[in-house]
Amino acid sequence: MGVGGAFDPLEARTSWSQARAALRFAAAGSPRDAVADHDELGPVALLADIPVERLRAQEDVRRLGRLARGERGERAGHGGELLAALAAFCRTGSLRQAAGELHLHHSSVAARLTHVEKELGWRLRDPQDRFRAQLALYALRLADGGEDLGGG
């Protein structure tokens, strides 16, 4: 679900546009991921203005996409597990909190993150690399769900 900002009734179109942009950031899974509020996205919402083709062409986004699809030899569904661990870690900044969110033992999350780091060359304990990963995750979500939602 995407949530737009509160506006006067005559400006409802702006709220609708914001809700549609926010919806592109929402993902199946936990309620935390399933609802995106445009106001809470802050400047990240600007990513929705980037054409889908440019997002899909960005190298980090392409590498994350290949990892998610298991094109690196992961077992079926493992790519999604890797991305879920990465997203939880980026969101919380803590291995134990990420494990709690995912209802996994922290060693399982650590193993998944080690795999992601090895495949993508990131050091997720480094705040800059974690920010890069979070941005790439947002861009991947937008690129994968980037088709026009219709309406207006």
Side-chain angles (χ1 to χ4, degrees):
M1 176 171 55
V3 179
F7 288 91
D8 291 333
L10 294 176
E11 297 178 51
R13 183 176 182 87
T14 302
S15 181
W16 175 251
S17 267
Q18 289 179 348
R20 287 176 39 144
L23 179 60
R24 292 181 58 206
F25 288 92
S30 72
R32 172 181 222 138
D33 289 335
V35 177
D37 185 324
H38 188 273
D39 290 344
E40 290 179 13
L41 288 170
V44 170
L46 296 172
L47 291 173
D49 294 338
I50 299 173
V52 172
E53 301 77 36
R54 286 196 62 201
L55 293 170
R56 288 181 179 147
Q58 204 285 325
E59 186 57 29
D60 286 346
V61 175
R62 290 181 9 192
R63 290 172 35 205
L64 267 182
R66 287 192 297 267
L67 189 67
R69 290 186 299 273
E71 293 178 14
R72 296 198 173 268
E74 291 84 13
R75 63 177 165 73
H78 190 62
E81 294 171 358
L82 295 173
L83 261 56
L86 177 60
F89 182 72
C90 287
R91 192 171 36 255
T92 64
S94 160
L95 186 62
R96 290 190 184 275
Q97 287 179 343
E101 268 192 21
L102 298 170
H103 307 289
L104 295 170
H105 192 272
H106 63 89
S107 62
S108 296
V109 175
R112 291 173 187 185
L113 294 177
T114 298
H115 186 88
V116 170
E117 287 178 323
K118 180 183 166 215
E119 290 298 324
L120 301 177
W122 295 335
R123 293 181 336 264
L124 296 172
R125 295 276 180 207
D126 178 326
Q128 187 64 31
D129 279 0
R130 196 166 53 250
F131 175 73
R132 180 179 178 179
Q134 181 66 63
L135 216 51
L137 284 165
Y138 280 134
L140 178 66
R141 193 174 287 177
L142 291 168
D144 284 350
E147 287 72 29
D148 186 17
L149 298 171

